[in-house]
Amino acid sequence: MPHTDHLLLFLFPFLLLAGFLLYAAGSRHAYRSRPETEPGDPAAFDWHFFVPCRDEEAVVGATVARLRADFPYAHVWVVDDASDDRTGAIVAALAEDDVRLHLVSRVRPEARTGKGAALNAAYRELGGLLGPGADRERVVVCVVDADGRLDPAAPFLVSGPQGFGHPDTGGVQVSVRMRNVDDPRPLPDRGRAANALARLLVRVQDMEFAVSNAGMQLLRARTGSVGLGGNGQFTRLSALDRIAEAERRPWREAALLEDYELGLHMILTGHRISHVADTWVSQEGLPHARRLLTQRTRWAQGNLQCVRYAPRILSSRHYTGSGVLETLYTFGQPLAHLFSLVLSAVLLAVVALNGFTGALAWWPLALGLAVLSVVPFLLWGPVYRRDFAPDASRARALLWGVALWLYAYHLFPVSARAFVRILRGRTGWSKTRRNADPVTAGPVALDH
């Protein structure tokens, strides 16, 4: 039998696995038992869409046209964050004949300081348009990415009793889908093998958001800790005002996850956030692994930045006990991934020093870890097939579940990269290039 001194080395991954399995089971149960969303009356609210942009000439015209066609009663505010391309000119031309389309132009040195700063600029412009006599309780702001497409039914569902029909609701997050999930050639200049891998990468991103993340958000709805995302984020203007009174502005301008941090502030100021899974916003899935890793490194670093909220959350009367546990668990994910990497290196060193023969005694534990880690992902495959890909075979659904499991391992290198960025003092916000931009057009992300 292996030496008992090594037992502690194996205890930590089992503790991590136990937490993951509990969270995964809760997410799956919340997804399967979710109630049907009751619609409300969009006419009870005044709708404003914020579209932050930097160098988005490839997509902004179509996005604005779709928003104005699908939501003719709403105002659209496009924030041009000192773009080097024709983003501002395209929007300005469209706004000439449309009183509900507004261009917010930002210039250096104030511009290019992050998405939060761009959204705050739109917030100030909206306040100027409304004036002091407006009923800001009935004004709803929705953030849509420059490539985002919002379900035309979304205002009906977020207006209902699960959303802004409830007087305590300050924010609503809708589900996110990958629009290019059925694109047969996401990499038109590459061969069959590269396109097959790119299609699978987009597919697992769609699975991640459509079922796995949706289940997580529905679990958070029960713990009172729903997170806001950067696309399809709805907020009540009066809730933004209350955060601005406490924090000087609604969106934190030095944050890599300004969307999630806005949700933390919203709960800390006493507002309710809900997740509506029956409507959606779509965006481009990333078929390029490098661009995906760059994007997720920023998300992991933003998660690490959120650890500073832990004392406030622990002492807040607006967080339930389960909400505190769920939020701290979310904060700790990049650290857990980093510790797991370190532990794996230590275990390999122990095996090398003690010989592989002794390590073989641990194979039942290793096999148990492997099985338990893959099963939660595997189970999402049939669920995804049932709800979003009914034409796929059962075998393909199971293979998608395995792919989702393998895809989840990207969290380990991105957590390590995020930690290295923190050590190097690199905290700038990066915009991932669009799929329409060729790989040779420059870096995979543009630093602000």
Side-chain angles (χ1 to χ4, degrees):
M1 288 297 291
H3 200 283
T4 54
D5 289 346
H6 299 156
L7 183 60
L8 290 177
L9 293 177
F10 290 90
L11 181 61
F12 181 70
F14 274 103
L15 290 175
L16 288 180
L17 183 60
F20 164 72
L21 291 174
L22 182 63
Y23 199 88
S27 298
R28 181 175 168 81
H29 175 72
Y31 184 90
R32 291 175 63 88
S33 61
R34 67 191 186 279
E36 185 176 352
T37 305
E38 183 180 342
D41 180 12
F45 302 95
D46 185 14
W47 301 88
H48 295 263
F49 293 97
F50 287 1
V51 186
C53 295
R54 177 189 168 187
D55 299 327
E56 300 285 9
E57 68 176 1
V59 295
V60 68
T63 297
V64 168
R66 186 171 291 105
L67 287 173
R68 291 296 297 119
D70 290 343
F71 313 100
Y73 48 84
H75 287 259
V76 176
W77 301 78
V78 179
V79 186
D80 176 24
D81 202 24
S83 296
D84 290 326
D85 63 7
R86 298 184 57 254
T87 297
I90 291 171
V91 177
L94 294 172
E96 286 182 356
D97 301 317
D98 190 344
V99 295
R100 289 181 177 266
L101 176 59
H102 314 273
L103 174 63
V104 181
S105 297
R106 305 189 73 228
V107 297
R108 295 177 177 92
E110 290 80 12
R112 300 197 179 201
T113 55
K115 186 177 178 181
L119 292 171
N120 287 332
Y123 166 78
R124 291 189 293 270
E125 292 287 336
L126 171 58
L129 175 71
L130 295 176
D135 181 3
R136 298 167 79 97
E137 289 282 341
R138 61 181 299 272
V139 176
V140 174
V141 171
C142 176
V143 177
V144 179
D145 279 352
D147 69 329
R149 297 182 185 176
L150 187 66
D151 177 12
F156 291 89
L157 296 180
V158 302
S159 298
Q162 286 120 308
F164 294 108
H166 193 296
D168 295 334
T169 298
V172 177
Q173 179 62 46
V174 302
S175 290
V176 177
R177 297 295 313 279
M178 300 301 115
R179 183 168 61 254
N180 54 336
V181 69
D182 293 317
D183 186 351
R185 291 186 60 83
L187 304 178
D189 298 329
R190 303 288 296 276
R192 292 178 62 182
N195 273 281
L197 289 174
R199 287 196 302 271
L200 184 60
L201 184 59
V202 174
R203 176 69 66 179
V204 292
Q205 290 173 66
D206 193 48
M207 292 178 66
E208 175 188 25
F209 281 92
V211 290
S212 179
N213 285 5
M216 182 193 319
Q217 289 280 56
L218 291 163
L219 173 63
R220 290 171 171 175
R222 300 184 178 194
T223 62
S225 55
V226 172
L228 291 176
N231 199 13
Q233 166 198 130
F234 290 81
T235 52
R236 199 188 297 266
L237 185 58
S238 58
L240 297 178
D241 293 338
R242 189 169 178 182
I243 295 171
E245 290 175 4
E247 306 291 335
R248 294 180 298 175
R249 66 281 183 272
W251 287 274
R252 193 170 185 275
E253 299 189 356
L256 296 176
L257 286 183
E258 84 298 322
D259 44 11
Y260 185 70
E261 291 198 26
L262 178 72
L264 297 177
H265 285 298
M266 195 161 284
I267 298 172
L268 287 169
T269 51
H271 292 94
R272 170 181 176 265
I273 304 177
S274 64
H275 178 77
V276 175
D278 294 330
T279 187
W280 47 265
V281 64
S282 71
Q283 62 191 42
E284 291 181 325
L286 295 174
H288 302 280
R290 287 183 61 204
R291 297 185 186 186
L292 177 73
L293 291 176
T294 298
Q295 179 194 70
R296 300 308 171 90
T297 297
R298 171 166 57 87
W299 293 3
Q301 188 175 357
N303 243 7
L304 290 170
Q305 289 180 339
C306 288
V307 173
R308 62 174 170 260
Y309 290 99
R312 294 177 62 181
I313 290 170
L314 285 167
S315 61
S316 174
R317 62 186 178 87
H318 300 298
Y319 271 88
T320 63
S322 58
V324 169
L325 289 176
E326 190 283 323
T327 305
L328 296 183
Y329 178 84
T330 299
F331 289 174
Q333 286 307 291
L335 290 174
H337 298 141
L338 186 63
F339 290 156
S340 296
L341 284 176
V342 173
L343 181 61
S344 297
V346 171
L347 289 174
L348 288 174
V350 169
V351 169
L353 290 173
N354 291 274
F356 288 93
T357 302
L360 290 176
W362 289 104
W363 75 264
L365 287 176
L367 180 61
L369 279 171
V371 171
L372 289 175
S373 65
V374 70
V375 167
F377 296 99
L378 198 66
L379 293 175
W380 282 123
V383 174
Y384 176 79
R385 171 184 175 271
R386 181 196 66 197
D387 292 348
F388 300 104
D391 294 335
S393 67
R394 290 183 174 87
R396 175 167 289 191
L398 290 176
L399 289 175
W400 284 343
V402 173
L404 183 64
W405 166 60
L406 295 173
Y407 164 79
Y409 282 96
H410 82 272
L411 296 171
F412 293 92
V414 302
S415 296
R417 293 180 67 191
F419 187 70
V420 170
R421 281 180 56 88
I422 290 175
L423 292 180
R424 296 177 61 187
R426 297 182 61 186
T427 58
W429 187 85
S430 298
K431 171 193 174 296
T432 307
R433 287 188 177 274
R434 296 291 176 205
N435 294 338
D437 299 325
V439 178
T440 56
V444 296
L446 302 174
D447 285 336
H448 284 255

